Amino acid sequence: MSQFEERLKIISEQHEAHLTKKNEKLFSQNGLYNKYKNPVLTREHAPIHWRYDLNPETNPYFMERIGINATLNSGAIKWNGKYLVCVRVEGNDRKSFFAIAESPNGIDNFRFWERPITLPETDNPDTNVYDMRLTQHDDGWIYGVFCTERKDPGAPAGDTSSAVAAAGIARTKDLINWERLPDLISTTGQQRNVVLHPHLVKEKYAFYTRPQDGFIDTGKGGGIGFGLSETIENAEVKEEIIMDPKQYHTIYEVKNGLGPAPIKTDKGWLHLAHGVRNTAAGLRYTLYIFMSDLDEPWKITHKPHGHFIAPYGDERVGDVSNVVFSNGWIADEDGKVFIYYASSDTRMHVATTTIAQLINYCEHTPEDKLRTYGSVETINELIDKNRGFMD
């Protein structure tokens, strides 16, 4: 057997074993959700024909030609009975692209479709795109809203790092063929975490935004915003309401942004968001949950204190450590919810819960009183409440 044949056989067998590995639900200590033993997507999931030249004449040593560095920050949708994630795949060249991976059960056996998404460019080509939120809208389209990054045209000579961010918009009917629309126009600075609401509000397209002064720092901006656009074909938000501002000494002290499109329930809209705070070890990203009014989704009705999911254990280690981030979840018809989140910008995980659990969590978990005294007061209130139930 030639070196080409031997390596192809071994790598193919290892790849198939990796894809078909059964996942294991872990016991939930907090009762809010169940995590799973294995990540659902890693760079090893990338198809062999994306990475290797399969021609023995040009690749006799069966070397990898196109390296994949990470699979992260994925949108999600239930489609034709399958669980699909729109994955941000990052190559060894640092460029990110989108690709669809499909699972029969939402927790394992994810396989990428044959090709990544060919996303059309605008007249101002993107240098990089990432973190697509998928929204199945009332108008019949599936929309993908994502961050588009370009070099800052105002950067001084020799500056090869400064960038500008905007919200790119594309739509599809089959998740294969995509139409690119003009980027969202915002009057409040750069935009990185933008989500399209699934229904019209006041007969207009509604966006959750995150205005910021710079590419990384929010500056005087920040917080989760809400605004309306007359059209989606030339989307423009002229006025934004900050519905969830960043707040001193919280998990969202530095910045925050909405994750996936919210889930509609009888009690209100369920929202999953990320919050960022600074530490001596750098920025720490966690996830939190809140609910908003059904008719006025920019008005928050319940907001539990602190984080919902945080990076612990192996999830803390990766390309950008101490980070969890989510921009995709799926609510099944039976009320089960699949939360897809990335750890440390490296790999994708899933956590499962239910609509009922999330509503109960929002309605009965105390809010942040923003001071140490208030936190202790909240604990004492629970202790007093529990006295009649303690042995």
Side-chain angles (χ1 to χ4, degrees):
M1 185 182 291
S2 69
Q3 183 174 353
F4 177 94
E5 293 170 324
E6 182 179 8
R7 283 183 49 77
L8 173 59
K9 179 177 183 295
I10 293 172
I11 290 171
S12 297
E13 290 174 349
Q14 290 178 344
H15 185 253
E16 185 64 18
H18 190 73
L19 266 58
T20 56
K21 185 187 300 182
K22 187 174 177 59
N23 221 339
E24 177 186 339
K25 183 189 289 188
L26 302 177
F27 176 75
S28 174
Q29 188 68 40
N30 60 26
L32 303 177
Y33 49 78
N34 289 93
K35 289 188 174 184
Y36 286 75
K37 181 178 180 180
N38 304 317
V40 295
L41 279 168
T42 66
R43 64 188 184 90
E44 286 82 11
H45 281 77
I48 291 173
H49 67 278
W50 291 10
R51 297 181 283 147
Y52 294 87
D53 177 359
L54 300 179
N55 185 342
E57 292 187 5
T58 54
N59 192 18
Y61 305 105
F62 200 70
M63 295 186 291
E64 188 179 68
R65 296 300 191 208
I66 299 176
I68 301 298
N69 182 59
T71 52
L72 63 160
N73 304 1
S74 305
I77 190 172
K78 188 79 172 287
W79 183 254
N80 294 331
K82 300 292 180 66
Y83 299 83
L84 272 55
V85 286
C86 182
V87 189
R88 173 184 174 182
V89 183
E90 184 182 85
N92 285 358
D93 61 2
R94 197 185 163 197
K95 308 302 182 294
S96 293
F97 58 90
F98 302 123
I100 302 293
E102 173 184 309
S103 165
N105 58 20
I107 61 171
D108 54 30
N109 283 266
F110 274 93
R111 291 177 183 269
F112 281 101
W113 287 2
E114 181 185 8
R115 295 176 183 272
I117 291 172
T118 300
L119 186 70
E121 295 182 318
T122 65
D123 293 338
N124 184 14
D126 324 277
T127 297
N128 201 30
V129 295
Y130 44 89
D131 302 356
M132 181 180 282
R133 280 83 165 168
L134 293 177
T135 298
Q136 195 157 12
H137 201 275
D138 285 345
D139 68 4
W141 288 93
I142 298 170
Y143 289 91
V145 182
F146 54 92
C147 182
T148 168
E149 175 186 335
R150 303 175 178 95
K151 188 177 185 296
D152 186 352
D159 181 347
T160 55
S161 296
S162 294
V164 291
I169 305 173
R171 63 184 178 184
T172 180
K173 291 289 182 73
D174 58 11
L175 297 166
I176 298 173
N177 302 291
W178 292 77
E179 176 189 0
R180 184 74 181 264
L181 302 176
D183 297 345
L184 175 70
I185 297 174
S186 168
T187 60
T188 55
Q190 299 189 41
Q191 296 279 359
R192 290 189 70 176
N193 294 274
V194 176
V195 183
L196 178 65
H197 192 67
H199 306 301
L200 295 177
V201 175
K202 299 179 181 180
E203 300 184 354
K204 298 178 182 179
Y205 286 87
F207 289 91
Y208 300 93
T209 63
R210 206 278 297 284
Q212 55 191 76
D213 294 349
F215 182 71
I216 300 295
D217 297 325
T218 58
K220 67 178 182 300
I224 298 172
F226 183 87
L228 302 176
S229 174
E230 297 284 348
T231 175
I232 193 68
E233 285 77 13
N234 291 283
E236 180 177 7
V237 173
K238 297 179 179 179
E239 182 179 356
E240 293 169 67
I241 300 168
I242 299 300
M243 58 183 287
D244 188 29
K246 56 187 182 180
Q247 179 76 39
Y248 170 69
H249 211 86
T250 62
I251 62 164
Y252 40 88
E253 177 181 86
V254 174
K255 50 188 173 181
N256 54 340
L258 202 65
I263 296 173
K264 188 176 185 179
T265 76
D266 293 339
K267 299 292 188 71
W269 290 98
L270 282 169
H271 299 263
L272 178 64
H274 66 270
V276 186
R277 69 180 177 92
N278 217 338
T279 76
L283 298 179
R284 176 173 168 85
Y285 281 67
T286 59
L287 303 177
Y288 66 101
I289 298 273
F290 62 90
M291 285 181 67
S292 70
D293 185 80
L294 276 178
D295 298 321
E296 299 176 305
W298 61 91
K299 293 185 178 180
I300 295 177
T301 57
H302 301 87
K303 187 179 180 183
H305 74 115
H307 62 248
F308 179 71
I309 296 179
Y312 291 122
D314 292 343
E315 293 178 359
R316 291 192 70 254
V317 181
D319 259 16
V320 184
S321 296
N322 208 12
V323 169
V324 288
F325 188 94
S326 177
N327 50 293
W329 59 3
I330 293 172
D332 257 347
E333 295 80 4
D334 62 359
K336 189 174 183 179
V337 178
F338 297 76
I339 301 172
Y340 295 99
Y341 68 97
S343 68
S344 297
D345 281 11
T346 299
R347 60 197 81 80
M348 286 298 304
H349 307 265
V350 67
T352 55
T353 183
T354 66
I355 296 289
Q357 284 172 275
L358 294 176
I359 290 175
N360 183 278
Y361 170 68
C362 287
E363 289 185 332
H364 298 286
T365 303
E367 293 194 7
D368 191 338
K369 293 182 178 178
L370 304 177
R371 304 187 326 278
T372 295
Y373 184 90
S375 296
V376 174
E377 184 180 52
T378 299
I379 294 172
N380 284 329
E381 288 171 356
L382 183 59
I383 292 171
D384 292 337
K385 182 180 178 181
N386 284 336
R387 284 189 181 278
F389 303 95
M390 297 169 65
D391 293 333

